[in-house]
Amino acid sequence: MVSSLPEHVTVFEVGPRDGLQNEFETVSTGTKIRFIEQLAKTGLTQIEVTSFVSPKAIPQLADALEVVMRLHATRGVTYSALVPNLKGLERAIESGIQQIAVFTAASETFVQKNIRMDIEGSLRVFKEVIDTAKPHGISVRGYVSTGFVCPYEGEVSKEKVAEISKRLLEMGVYQVSIGDTIGAASPLDVQKTIGHLLAKLPADKIALHFHDTYGTAMANVYAGLQLGISTFDTSAGGLGGCPYAPGASGNLGTEDLIYMLDRMGIHSGVNLEAVFHASEVIAKELHRELPSRQWKRLRSKDPLKS
Ligand code: HMG
Ligand code: MG
């Protein structure tokens, strides 16, 4: 089993988007930019920086256009943003961003609450978004939320996850990220659902996105590694959650994943302490502790001044 673990893992940072969309307090645009630019110096190659969604749905990210337009490009780093429809794509194109992500789910009720469409409707909209984005040189990622458990419908079928993932890839997304939106999955769920997906899709087309509500995210990453998955979405400091998924808490902390990968000799190219320093930018603005265990460990060596 161990011999089949990947030698290199891509850490896909979602803190500036998944993390900040769920904060009660809206973080200032300048602080967001400092956070992202610090993250860009840590060795991360993929950073999801914001969402071009309705400001009524997610007021915390209403400054998406300004954030992207003020960011300095960093060699080797791709910035990405969520886009739910053509209106969002227009703003994404205007911003000059290199990558976007469309997002649906494997359960109807969640899609309805999150983006006010049904699954079929979301796929129709995304087809237009992808076809319009590509000629602008924008690459597109796809999310399948509630990949294991839905906060409204409970258990989610592995067949549904596979069907939607396949359709997104056929439409032209370069990768699907399967979300444990409420952080309820166990490693056996990962084996079952992702094992089934791997019978239909190559491992490099699949990323895993674990929230850590019930403390199983790291175990779930290990289950994913054993299946040969080598892209994991994490959030600096362990920030995160979705306002339309009741009870969802933060993503697995980037610092925590880096610690485990380093310890296992799996290369990510990301520097743990540098991510901690980037997370500090947000901790200072929010005046609170962040959930990541490595963040807490490093902080106790270097107490924050409020
Ligand atoms: P709707 O109300 O059906 O949209 O919302 P609409 O087309 O009827 O428009 C309503 C208003 O929004 C109009 O403005 C539009 O112009 C405006 P008004 O005329 O009332 O002033 N509007 C927009 N404005 C800016 N950008 C846009 C946009 N679209 C419409 N793109 C909609 C539908 C999809 C827009 C809305 O429900 C929405 O924005 N939802 C986003 C929700 C969201 O961001 N959720 C969190 C991200 S998903 C997540 O966290 C899960 C993930 O992390 C993976 C996992 O953990 O599983 C990815
Ligand atoms: Mg998420």
Side-chain angles (χ1 to χ4, degrees), residues 17-18 21 52-58 82 84-85 87-88 91 103 114-117 143 145-146 179 181 209 211 241-242 244:
R17 191 279 302 172
D18 205 326
Q21 77 181 11
F52 292 104
V53 295
S54 159
K56 286 181 191 137
I58 307 282
L82 295 194
N85 54 20
K87 172 142 193 173
R91 295 166 67 214
F103 54 107
N114 198 36
I115 52 174
R116 298 174 187 244
M117 303 175 205
Y143 279 102
S145 286
T146 60
T181 316
H209 177 109
H211 286 262
C242 174
Y244 299 95

PDB file of all heavy atoms in Angstrom, residues 17-18 21 52-58 82 84-85 87-88 91 103 114-117 143 145-146 179 181 209 211 241-242 244, ligand 1:
ATOM      1  N   ARG A  17     -10.616  32.248  -0.522  1.00  0.00           N
ATOM      2  CA  ARG A  17     -12.009  32.121  -0.989  1.00  0.00           C
ATOM      3  C   ARG A  17     -12.862  31.345   0.028  1.00  0.00           C
ATOM      4  O   ARG A  17     -13.741  31.912   0.675  1.00  0.00           O
ATOM      5  CB  ARG A  17     -12.024  31.419  -2.364  1.00  0.00           C
ATOM      6  CG  ARG A  17     -13.354  31.465  -3.085  1.00  0.00           C
ATOM      7  CD  ARG A  17     -14.367  30.450  -2.632  1.00  0.00           C
ATOM      8  NE  ARG A  17     -13.909  29.069  -2.755  1.00  0.00           N
ATOM      9  CZ  ARG A  17     -14.577  28.039  -2.277  1.00  0.00           C
ATOM     10  NH1 ARG A  17     -15.720  28.205  -1.628  1.00  0.00           N
ATOM     11  NH2 ARG A  17     -14.092  26.808  -2.395  1.00  0.00           N
ATOM     12  N   ASP A  18     -12.590  30.050   0.210  1.00  0.00           N
ATOM     13  CA  ASP A  18     -13.439  29.236   1.095  1.00  0.00           C
ATOM     14  C   ASP A  18     -13.326  29.758   2.522  1.00  0.00           C
ATOM     15  O   ASP A  18     -14.311  29.815   3.265  1.00  0.00           O
ATOM     16  CB  ASP A  18     -12.980  27.765   1.024  1.00  0.00           C
ATOM     17  CG  ASP A  18     -14.074  26.776   1.385  1.00  0.00           C
ATOM     18  OD1 ASP A  18     -14.904  27.100   2.251  1.00  0.00           O
ATOM     19  OD2 ASP A  18     -14.079  25.664   0.830  1.00  0.00           O
ATOM     20  N   GLN A  21     -15.037  33.490   2.781  1.00  0.00           N
ATOM     21  CA  GLN A  21     -16.478  33.569   2.470  1.00  0.00           C
ATOM     22  C   GLN A  21     -17.334  33.261   3.699  1.00  0.00           C
ATOM     23  O   GLN A  21     -18.506  33.603   3.757  1.00  0.00           O
ATOM     24  CB  GLN A  21     -16.858  32.599   1.336  1.00  0.00           C
ATOM     25  CG  GLN A  21     -16.964  31.144   1.787  1.00  0.00           C
ATOM     26  CD  GLN A  21     -17.313  30.172   0.664  1.00  0.00           C
ATOM     27  OE1 GLN A  21     -17.295  30.531  -0.507  1.00  0.00           O
ATOM     28  NE2 GLN A  21     -17.610  28.931   1.002  1.00  0.00           N
ATOM     29  N   PHE A  52     -16.547  35.238  -8.049  1.00  0.00           N
ATOM     30  CA  PHE A  52     -17.374  36.189  -8.799  1.00  0.00           C
ATOM     31  C   PHE A  52     -18.828  35.739  -8.707  1.00  0.00           C
ATOM     32  O   PHE A  52     -19.434  35.360  -9.711  1.00  0.00           O
ATOM     33  CB  PHE A  52     -16.880  36.298 -10.247  1.00  0.00           C
ATOM     34  CG  PHE A  52     -15.526  36.951 -10.337  1.00  0.00           C
ATOM     35  CD1 PHE A  52     -14.384  36.197 -10.574  1.00  0.00           C
ATOM     36  CD2 PHE A  52     -15.405  38.320 -10.153  1.00  0.00           C
ATOM     37  CE1 PHE A  52     -13.134  36.800 -10.653  1.00  0.00           C
ATOM     38  CE2 PHE A  52     -14.156  38.937 -10.223  1.00  0.00           C
ATOM     39  CZ  PHE A  52     -13.021  38.171 -10.466  1.00  0.00           C
ATOM     40  N   VAL A  53     -19.345  35.747  -7.479  1.00  0.00           N
ATOM     41  CA  VAL A  53     -20.731  35.325  -7.224  1.00  0.00           C
ATOM     42  C   VAL A  53     -21.550  36.568  -6.889  1.00  0.00           C
ATOM     43  O   VAL A  53     -21.025  37.689  -6.854  1.00  0.00           O
ATOM     44  CB  VAL A  53     -20.791  34.282  -6.082  1.00  0.00           C
ATOM     45  CG1 VAL A  53     -20.076  33.003  -6.483  1.00  0.00           C
ATOM     46  CG2 VAL A  53     -20.219  34.832  -4.786  1.00  0.00           C
ATOM     47  N   SER A  54     -22.815  36.363  -6.623  1.00  0.00           N
ATOM     48  CA  SER A  54     -23.656  37.513  -6.272  1.00  0.00           C
ATOM     49  C   SER A  54     -23.219  38.078  -4.925  1.00  0.00           C
ATOM     50  O   SER A  54     -23.097  37.338  -3.951  1.00  0.00           O
ATOM     51  CB  SER A  54     -25.115  37.059  -6.221  1.00  0.00           C
ATOM     52  OG  SER A  54     -25.841  37.972  -5.446  1.00  0.00           O
ATOM     53  N   PRO A  55     -23.019  39.388  -4.840  1.00  0.00           N
ATOM     54  CA  PRO A  55     -22.636  39.979  -3.546  1.00  0.00           C
ATOM     55  C   PRO A  55     -23.742  39.837  -2.504  1.00  0.00           C
ATOM     56  O   PRO A  55     -23.487  39.950  -1.314  1.00  0.00           O
ATOM     57  CB  PRO A  55     -22.356  41.450  -3.876  1.00  0.00           C
ATOM     58  CG  PRO A  55     -22.901  41.678  -5.235  1.00  0.00           C
ATOM     59  CD  PRO A  55     -23.068  40.362  -5.924  1.00  0.00           C
ATOM     60  N   LYS A  56     -24.974  39.553  -2.971  1.00  0.00           N
ATOM     61  CA  LYS A  56     -26.050  39.308  -1.995  1.00  0.00           C
ATOM     62  C   LYS A  56     -25.863  37.923  -1.374  1.00  0.00           C
ATOM     63  O   LYS A  56     -26.158  37.719  -0.198  1.00  0.00           O
ATOM     64  CB  LYS A  56     -27.412  39.380  -2.680  1.00  0.00           C
ATOM     65  CG  LYS A  56     -27.809  40.809  -2.997  1.00  0.00           C
ATOM     66  CD  LYS A  56     -29.186  40.884  -3.652  1.00  0.00           C
ATOM     67  CE  LYS A  56     -29.411  42.286  -4.177  1.00  0.00           C
ATOM     68  NZ  LYS A  56     -30.012  42.315  -5.503  1.00  0.00           N
ATOM     69  N   ALA A  57     -25.367  36.976  -2.173  1.00  0.00           N
ATOM     70  CA  ALA A  57     -25.165  35.605  -1.659  1.00  0.00           C
ATOM     71  C   ALA A  57     -23.949  35.553  -0.737  1.00  0.00           C
ATOM     72  O   ALA A  57     -23.978  34.912   0.316  1.00  0.00           O
ATOM     73  CB  ALA A  57     -24.991  34.620  -2.819  1.00  0.00           C
ATOM     74  N   ILE A  58     -22.856  36.215  -1.135  1.00  0.00           N
ATOM     75  CA  ILE A  58     -21.613  36.181  -0.349  1.00  0.00           C
ATOM     76  C   ILE A  58     -21.058  37.612  -0.258  1.00  0.00           C
ATOM     77  O   ILE A  58     -20.144  37.991  -1.020  1.00  0.00           O
ATOM     78  CB  ILE A  58     -20.550  35.239  -1.006  1.00  0.00           C
ATOM     79  CG1 ILE A  58     -21.103  33.830  -1.287  1.00  0.00           C
ATOM     80  CG2 ILE A  58     -19.277  35.177  -0.149  1.00  0.00           C
ATOM     81  CD1 ILE A  58     -21.194  32.900  -0.082  1.00  0.00           C
ATOM     82  N   LEU A  82     -14.060  31.352  -8.111  1.00  0.00           N
ATOM     83  CA  LEU A  82     -15.329  30.678  -8.420  1.00  0.00           C
ATOM     84  C   LEU A  82     -16.183  31.551  -9.339  1.00  0.00           C
ATOM     85  O   LEU A  82     -16.219  32.775  -9.179  1.00  0.00           O
ATOM     86  CB  LEU A  82     -16.144  30.412  -7.151  1.00  0.00           C
ATOM     87  CG  LEU A  82     -15.620  29.449  -6.099  1.00  0.00           C
ATOM     88  CD1 LEU A  82     -16.740  29.087  -5.131  1.00  0.00           C
ATOM     89  CD2 LEU A  82     -15.021  28.211  -6.695  1.00  0.00           C
ATOM     90  N   PRO A  84     -20.259  31.259 -10.932  1.00  0.00           N
ATOM     91  CA  PRO A  84     -21.469  30.443 -10.993  1.00  0.00           C
ATOM     92  C   PRO A  84     -22.284  30.591 -12.282  1.00  0.00           C
ATOM     93  O   PRO A  84     -23.162  29.771 -12.543  1.00  0.00           O
ATOM     94  CB  PRO A  84     -22.299  30.983  -9.824  1.00  0.00           C
ATOM     95  CG  PRO A  84     -21.948  32.442  -9.785  1.00  0.00           C
ATOM     96  CD  PRO A  84     -20.526  32.560 -10.275  1.00  0.00           C
ATOM     97  N   ASN A  85     -22.001  31.651 -13.062  1.00  0.00           N
ATOM     98  CA  ASN A  85     -22.857  31.937 -14.230  1.00  0.00           C
ATOM     99  C   ASN A  85     -22.127  32.922 -15.161  1.00  0.00           C
ATOM    100  O   ASN A  85     -20.996  33.356 -14.877  1.00  0.00           O
ATOM    101  CB  ASN A  85     -24.210  32.516 -13.769  1.00  0.00           C
ATOM    102  CG  ASN A  85     -24.025  33.733 -12.850  1.00  0.00           C
ATOM    103  OD1 ASN A  85     -22.969  34.358 -12.839  1.00  0.00           O
ATOM    104  ND2 ASN A  85     -25.050  34.075 -12.088  1.00  0.00           N
ATOM    105  N   LYS A  87     -22.740  35.991 -15.819  1.00  0.00           N
ATOM    106  CA  LYS A  87     -22.495  37.317 -15.222  1.00  0.00           C
ATOM    107  C   LYS A  87     -21.176  37.299 -14.434  1.00  0.00           C
ATOM    108  O   LYS A  87     -20.379  38.238 -14.495  1.00  0.00           O
ATOM    109  CB  LYS A  87     -23.678  37.684 -14.314  1.00  0.00           C
ATOM    110  CG  LYS A  87     -23.440  38.915 -13.531  1.00  0.00           C
ATOM    111  CD  LYS A  87     -24.669  39.768 -13.394  1.00  0.00           C
ATOM    112  CE  LYS A  87     -24.213  41.115 -12.876  1.00  0.00           C
ATOM    113  NZ  LYS A  87     -25.191  42.103 -12.829  1.00  0.00           N
ATOM    114  N   GLY A  88     -20.954  36.215 -13.694  1.00  0.00           N
ATOM    115  CA  GLY A  88     -19.700  36.060 -12.959  1.00  0.00           C
ATOM    116  C   GLY A  88     -18.516  35.958 -13.914  1.00  0.00           C
ATOM    117  O   GLY A  88     -17.430  36.501 -13.655  1.00  0.00           O
ATOM    118  N   ARG A  91     -17.256  39.313 -15.189  1.00  0.00           N
ATOM    119  CA  ARG A  91     -16.380  39.999 -14.222  1.00  0.00           C
ATOM    120  C   ARG A  91     -15.020  39.297 -14.154  1.00  0.00           C
ATOM    121  O   ARG A  91     -13.982  39.957 -14.010  1.00  0.00           O
ATOM    122  CB  ARG A  91     -17.042  40.023 -12.837  1.00  0.00           C
ATOM    123  CG  ARG A  91     -18.307  40.854 -12.805  1.00  0.00           C
ATOM    124  CD  ARG A  91     -19.124  40.586 -11.540  1.00  0.00           C
ATOM    125  NE  ARG A  91     -18.449  41.037 -10.330  1.00  0.00           N
ATOM    126  CZ  ARG A  91     -18.543  40.428  -9.148  1.00  0.00           C
ATOM    127  NH1 ARG A  91     -19.260  39.321  -9.009  1.00  0.00           N
ATOM    128  NH2 ARG A  91     -17.914  40.908  -8.114  1.00  0.00           N
ATOM    129  N   PHE A 103     -19.087  25.376 -10.000  1.00  0.00           N
ATOM    130  CA  PHE A 103     -19.360  24.545  -8.816  1.00  0.00           C
ATOM    131  C   PHE A 103     -20.804  24.097  -8.739  1.00  0.00           C
ATOM    132  O   PHE A 103     -21.719  24.900  -8.732  1.00  0.00           O
ATOM    133  CB  PHE A 103     -18.934  25.265  -7.525  1.00  0.00           C
ATOM    134  CG  PHE A 103     -19.492  26.642  -7.316  1.00  0.00           C
ATOM    135  CD1 PHE A 103     -20.476  26.874  -6.367  1.00  0.00           C
ATOM    136  CD2 PHE A 103     -19.036  27.722  -8.072  1.00  0.00           C
ATOM    137  CE1 PHE A 103     -20.996  28.151  -6.151  1.00  0.00           C
ATOM    138  CE2 PHE A 103     -19.553  29.001  -7.877  1.00  0.00           C
ATOM    139  CZ  PHE A 103     -20.531  29.216  -6.922  1.00  0.00           C
ATOM    140  N   ASN A 114     -27.561  26.607  -2.654  1.00  0.00           N
ATOM    141  CA  ASN A 114     -26.282  27.283  -2.869  1.00  0.00           C
ATOM    142  C   ASN A 114     -26.306  28.206  -4.083  1.00  0.00           C
ATOM    143  O   ASN A 114     -25.839  29.336  -4.014  1.00  0.00           O
ATOM    144  CB  ASN A 114     -25.179  26.228  -3.033  1.00  0.00           C
ATOM    145  CG  ASN A 114     -23.794  26.791  -2.820  1.00  0.00           C
ATOM    146  OD1 ASN A 114     -23.588  27.669  -1.974  1.00  0.00           O
ATOM    147  ND2 ASN A 114     -22.829  26.305  -3.574  1.00  0.00           N
ATOM    148  N   ILE A 115     -26.852  27.708  -5.209  1.00  0.00           N
ATOM    149  CA  ILE A 115     -26.794  28.538  -6.429  1.00  0.00           C
ATOM    150  C   ILE A 115     -28.163  28.697  -7.103  1.00  0.00           C
ATOM    151  O   ILE A 115     -28.245  29.171  -8.247  1.00  0.00           O
ATOM    152  CB  ILE A 115     -25.724  28.025  -7.437  1.00  0.00           C
ATOM    153  CG1 ILE A 115     -25.882  26.542  -7.756  1.00  0.00           C
ATOM    154  CG2 ILE A 115     -24.326  28.327  -6.923  1.00  0.00           C
ATOM    155  CD1 ILE A 115     -24.929  26.047  -8.854  1.00  0.00           C
ATOM    156  N   ARG A 116     -29.206  28.287  -6.407  1.00  0.00           N
ATOM    157  CA  ARG A 116     -30.586  28.467  -6.890  1.00  0.00           C
ATOM    158  C   ARG A 116     -30.812  27.890  -8.284  1.00  0.00           C
ATOM    159  O   ARG A 116     -31.442  28.516  -9.144  1.00  0.00           O
ATOM    160  CB  ARG A 116     -30.959  29.944  -6.889  1.00  0.00           C
ATOM    161  CG  ARG A 116     -30.928  30.561  -5.505  1.00  0.00           C
ATOM    162  CD  ARG A 116     -31.171  32.032  -5.672  1.00  0.00           C
ATOM    163  NE  ARG A 116     -31.012  32.768  -4.456  1.00  0.00           N
ATOM    164  CZ  ARG A 116     -32.009  33.414  -3.856  1.00  0.00           C
ATOM    165  NH1 ARG A 116     -33.231  33.370  -4.326  1.00  0.00           N
ATOM    166  NH2 ARG A 116     -31.769  34.106  -2.768  1.00  0.00           N
ATOM    167  N   MET A 117     -30.247  26.731  -8.515  1.00  0.00           N
ATOM    168  CA  MET A 117     -30.466  26.003  -9.774  1.00  0.00           C
ATOM    169  C   MET A 117     -30.627  24.547  -9.391  1.00  0.00           C
ATOM    170  O   MET A 117     -30.290  24.150  -8.275  1.00  0.00           O
ATOM    171  CB  MET A 117     -29.227  26.085 -10.691  1.00  0.00           C
ATOM    172  CG  MET A 117     -28.768  27.474 -11.041  1.00  0.00           C
ATOM    173  SD  MET A 117     -27.214  27.411 -11.989  1.00  0.00           S
ATOM    174  CE  MET A 117     -26.550  29.038 -11.615  1.00  0.00           C
ATOM    175  N   TYR A 143     -16.069  21.847  -9.322  1.00  0.00           N
ATOM    176  CA  TYR A 143     -16.300  21.276  -7.988  1.00  0.00           C
ATOM    177  C   TYR A 143     -17.564  20.425  -8.002  1.00  0.00           C
ATOM    178  O   TYR A 143     -18.589  20.837  -8.578  1.00  0.00           O
ATOM    179  CB  TYR A 143     -16.545  22.380  -6.958  1.00  0.00           C
ATOM    180  CG  TYR A 143     -15.303  23.054  -6.431  1.00  0.00           C
ATOM    181  CD1 TYR A 143     -14.927  24.315  -6.899  1.00  0.00           C
ATOM    182  CD2 TYR A 143     -14.532  22.459  -5.440  1.00  0.00           C
ATOM    183  CE1 TYR A 143     -13.803  24.957  -6.394  1.00  0.00           C
ATOM    184  CE2 TYR A 143     -13.404  23.105  -4.935  1.00  0.00           C
ATOM    185  CZ  TYR A 143     -13.052  24.336  -5.412  1.00  0.00           C
ATOM    186  OH  TYR A 143     -11.943  24.970  -4.909  1.00  0.00           O
ATOM    187  N   SER A 145     -19.662  19.374  -4.971  1.00  0.00           N
ATOM    188  CA  SER A 145     -19.852  19.439  -3.514  1.00  0.00           C
ATOM    189  C   SER A 145     -20.731  18.289  -3.055  1.00  0.00           C
ATOM    190  O   SER A 145     -21.298  17.566  -3.873  1.00  0.00           O
ATOM    191  CB  SER A 145     -20.518  20.759  -3.133  1.00  0.00           C
ATOM    192  OG  SER A 145     -19.602  21.807  -3.232  1.00  0.00           O
ATOM    193  N   THR A 146     -20.880  18.177  -1.743  1.00  0.00           N
ATOM    194  CA  THR A 146     -21.644  17.085  -1.102  1.00  0.00           C
ATOM    195  C   THR A 146     -21.295  15.746  -1.754  1.00  0.00           C
ATOM    196  O   THR A 146     -22.158  14.946  -2.083  1.00  0.00           O
ATOM    197  CB  THR A 146     -23.176  17.338  -1.141  1.00  0.00           C
ATOM    198  OG1 THR A 146     -23.630  17.440  -2.492  1.00  0.00           O
ATOM    199  CG2 THR A 146     -23.553  18.589  -0.372  1.00  0.00           C
ATOM    200  N   GLY A 179     -15.903  17.507  -3.045  1.00  0.00           N
ATOM    201  CA  GLY A 179     -15.955  18.171  -1.744  1.00  0.00           C
ATOM    202  C   GLY A 179     -16.689  17.372  -0.687  1.00  0.00           C
ATOM    203  O   GLY A 179     -17.790  16.874  -0.926  1.00  0.00           O
ATOM    204  N   THR A 181     -18.291  18.695   1.849  1.00  0.00           N
ATOM    205  CA  THR A 181     -18.704  20.059   2.176  1.00  0.00           C
ATOM    206  C   THR A 181     -18.937  20.278   3.664  1.00  0.00           C
ATOM    207  O   THR A 181     -18.620  21.334   4.200  1.00  0.00           O
ATOM    208  CB  THR A 181     -19.997  20.394   1.378  1.00  0.00           C
ATOM    209  OG1 THR A 181     -19.805  19.938   0.050  1.00  0.00           O
ATOM    210  CG2 THR A 181     -20.325  21.860   1.409  1.00  0.00           C
ATOM    211  N   HIS A 209     -11.312  17.675  -1.523  1.00  0.00           N
ATOM    212  CA  HIS A 209     -11.527  18.944  -0.809  1.00  0.00           C
ATOM    213  C   HIS A 209     -12.247  18.598   0.500  1.00  0.00           C
ATOM    214  O   HIS A 209     -13.465  18.407   0.523  1.00  0.00           O
ATOM    215  CB  HIS A 209     -12.392  19.812  -1.733  1.00  0.00           C
ATOM    216  CG  HIS A 209     -12.812  21.139  -1.224  1.00  0.00           C
ATOM    217  ND1 HIS A 209     -12.322  22.335  -1.703  1.00  0.00           N
ATOM    218  CD2 HIS A 209     -13.730  21.505  -0.293  1.00  0.00           C
ATOM    219  CE1 HIS A 209     -12.912  23.354  -1.104  1.00  0.00           C
ATOM    220  NE2 HIS A 209     -13.768  22.871  -0.226  1.00  0.00           N
ATOM    221  N   HIS A 211     -13.419  19.344   4.332  1.00  0.00           N
ATOM    222  CA  HIS A 211     -13.624  20.190   5.516  1.00  0.00           C
ATOM    223  C   HIS A 211     -13.394  19.289   6.732  1.00  0.00           C
ATOM    224  O   HIS A 211     -13.458  18.065   6.635  1.00  0.00           O
ATOM    225  CB  HIS A 211     -15.028  20.814   5.473  1.00  0.00           C
ATOM    226  CG  HIS A 211     -15.116  21.915   4.457  1.00  0.00           C
ATOM    227  ND1 HIS A 211     -15.005  23.238   4.795  1.00  0.00           N
ATOM    228  CD2 HIS A 211     -15.231  21.878   3.104  1.00  0.00           C
ATOM    229  CE1 HIS A 211     -15.078  23.986   3.699  1.00  0.00           C
ATOM    230  NE2 HIS A 211     -15.214  23.177   2.653  1.00  0.00           N
ATOM    231  N   GLY A 241     -15.595  27.167   5.228  1.00  0.00           N
ATOM    232  CA  GLY A 241     -16.959  26.727   5.451  1.00  0.00           C
ATOM    233  C   GLY A 241     -17.853  27.337   4.398  1.00  0.00           C
ATOM    234  O   GLY A 241     -17.414  28.201   3.642  1.00  0.00           O
ATOM    235  N   CYS A 242     -19.080  26.848   4.320  1.00  0.00           N
ATOM    236  CA  CYS A 242     -20.000  27.373   3.311  1.00  0.00           C
ATOM    237  C   CYS A 242     -21.263  27.857   4.012  1.00  0.00           C
ATOM    238  O   CYS A 242     -21.895  27.099   4.731  1.00  0.00           O
ATOM    239  CB  CYS A 242     -20.326  26.288   2.288  1.00  0.00           C
ATOM    240  SG  CYS A 242     -21.582  26.814   1.108  1.00  0.00           S
ATOM    241  N   TYR A 244     -24.084  28.143   2.996  1.00  0.00           N
ATOM    242  CA  TYR A 244     -25.284  27.400   2.582  1.00  0.00           C
ATOM    243  C   TYR A 244     -25.212  25.922   2.979  1.00  0.00           C
ATOM    244  O   TYR A 244     -26.028  25.120   2.536  1.00  0.00           O
ATOM    245  CB  TYR A 244     -25.516  27.592   1.068  1.00  0.00           C
ATOM    246  CG  TYR A 244     -25.724  29.059   0.777  1.00  0.00           C
ATOM    247  CD1 TYR A 244     -24.668  29.885   0.370  1.00  0.00           C
ATOM    248  CD2 TYR A 244     -26.954  29.656   1.019  1.00  0.00           C
ATOM    249  CE1 TYR A 244     -24.845  31.243   0.182  1.00  0.00           C
ATOM    250  CE2 TYR A 244     -27.145  31.020   0.832  1.00  0.00           C
ATOM    251  CZ  TYR A 244     -26.090  31.803   0.415  1.00  0.00           C
ATOM    252  OH  TYR A 244     -26.275  33.155   0.237  1.00  0.00           O
TER     253      TYR A 244
HETATM  254  P1  HMG B   1     -30.077  34.236  -8.144  1.00  0.00           P
HETATM  255  O1  HMG B   1     -30.669  35.116  -7.115  1.00  0.00           O
HETATM  256  O2  HMG B   1     -30.892  33.120  -8.691  1.00  0.00           O
HETATM  257  O3  HMG B   1     -29.473  35.074  -9.338  1.00  0.00           O
HETATM  258  O4  HMG B   1     -28.715  33.643  -7.521  1.00  0.00           O
HETATM  259  P2  HMG B   1     -30.169  35.990 -10.408  1.00  0.00           P
HETATM  260  O5  HMG B   1     -29.580  35.675 -11.738  1.00  0.00           O
HETATM  261  O6  HMG B   1     -31.678  35.939 -10.252  1.00  0.00           O
HETATM  262  O7  HMG B   1     -29.665  37.442  -9.953  1.00  0.00           O
HETATM  263  C1  HMG B   1     -30.012  38.033  -8.732  1.00  0.00           C
HETATM  264  C2  HMG B   1     -29.148  39.246  -8.502  1.00  0.00           C
HETATM  265  O8  HMG B   1     -27.769  38.846  -8.374  1.00  0.00           O
HETATM  266  C3  HMG B   1     -29.171  40.232  -9.664  1.00  0.00           C
HETATM  267  O9  HMG B   1     -28.908  41.502  -9.111  1.00  0.00           O
HETATM  268  C4  HMG B   1     -27.959  39.802 -10.493  1.00  0.00           C
HETATM  269  O10 HMG B   1     -27.458  40.844 -11.286  1.00  0.00           O
HETATM  270  C5  HMG B   1     -26.960  39.436  -9.410  1.00  0.00           C
HETATM  271  P3  HMG B   1     -30.103  42.541  -8.819  1.00  0.00           P
HETATM  272  O11 HMG B   1     -30.767  42.739 -10.154  1.00  0.00           O
HETATM  273  O12 HMG B   1     -31.003  41.864  -7.820  1.00  0.00           O
HETATM  274  O13 HMG B   1     -29.364  43.744  -8.287  1.00  0.00           O
HETATM  275  N1  HMG B   1     -25.996  38.423  -9.860  1.00  0.00           N
HETATM  276  C6  HMG B   1     -24.666  38.581  -9.781  1.00  0.00           C
HETATM  277  N2  HMG B   1     -23.908  39.598  -9.332  1.00  0.00           N
HETATM  278  C7  HMG B   1     -22.567  39.425  -9.391  1.00  0.00           C
HETATM  279  N3  HMG B   1     -21.966  38.301  -9.847  1.00  0.00           N
HETATM  280  C8  HMG B   1     -22.699  37.276 -10.303  1.00  0.00           C
HETATM  281  C9  HMG B   1     -24.112  37.404 -10.277  1.00  0.00           C
HETATM  282  N4  HMG B   1     -25.117  36.578 -10.641  1.00  0.00           N
HETATM  283  C10 HMG B   1     -26.260  37.225 -10.374  1.00  0.00           C
HETATM  284  N5  HMG B   1     -22.114  36.172 -10.745  1.00  0.00           N
HETATM  285  C11 HMG B   1     -26.460  32.923  -7.909  1.00  0.00           C
HETATM  286  C12 HMG B   1     -27.924  32.733  -8.254  1.00  0.00           C
HETATM  287  C13 HMG B   1     -25.715  31.744  -8.487  1.00  0.00           C
HETATM  288  C14 HMG B   1     -25.961  34.213  -8.548  1.00  0.00           C
HETATM  289  C15 HMG B   1     -26.297  33.031  -6.358  1.00  0.00           C
HETATM  290  O14 HMG B   1     -27.034  32.014  -5.740  1.00  0.00           O
HETATM  291  C16 HMG B   1     -24.858  32.944  -5.934  1.00  0.00           C
HETATM  292  O15 HMG B   1     -24.061  33.832  -6.229  1.00  0.00           O
HETATM  293  N6  HMG B   1     -24.467  31.869  -5.216  1.00  0.00           N
HETATM  294  C17 HMG B   1     -23.109  31.647  -4.776  1.00  0.00           C
HETATM  295  C18 HMG B   1     -23.092  30.906  -3.475  1.00  0.00           C
HETATM  296  C19 HMG B   1     -21.684  30.640  -3.036  1.00  0.00           C
HETATM  297  O16 HMG B   1     -20.737  31.313  -3.432  1.00  0.00           O
HETATM  298  N7  HMG B   1     -21.533  29.640  -2.156  1.00  0.00           N
HETATM  299  C20 HMG B   1     -20.255  29.276  -1.597  1.00  0.00           C
HETATM  300  C21 HMG B   1     -19.320  28.671  -2.588  1.00  0.00           C
HETATM  301  S1  HMG B   1     -19.600  26.933  -2.873  1.00  0.00           S
HETATM  302  C22 HMG B   1     -18.695  26.168  -1.613  1.00  0.00           C
HETATM  303  O17 HMG B   1     -18.264  26.803  -0.684  1.00  0.00           O
HETATM  304  C23 HMG B   1     -18.403  24.706  -1.743  1.00  0.00           C
HETATM  305  C24 HMG B   1     -16.950  24.426  -2.179  1.00  0.00           C
HETATM  306  O18 HMG B   1     -16.025  24.981  -1.261  1.00  0.00           O
HETATM  307  C25 HMG B   1     -16.692  22.907  -2.263  1.00  0.00           C
HETATM  308  C26 HMG B   1     -17.153  22.154  -1.016  1.00  0.00           C
HETATM  309  O19 HMG B   1     -16.748  22.519   0.105  1.00  0.00           O
HETATM  310  O20 HMG B   1     -17.891  21.184  -1.207  1.00  0.00           O
HETATM  311  C27 HMG B   1     -16.657  25.008  -3.563  1.00  0.00           C
END
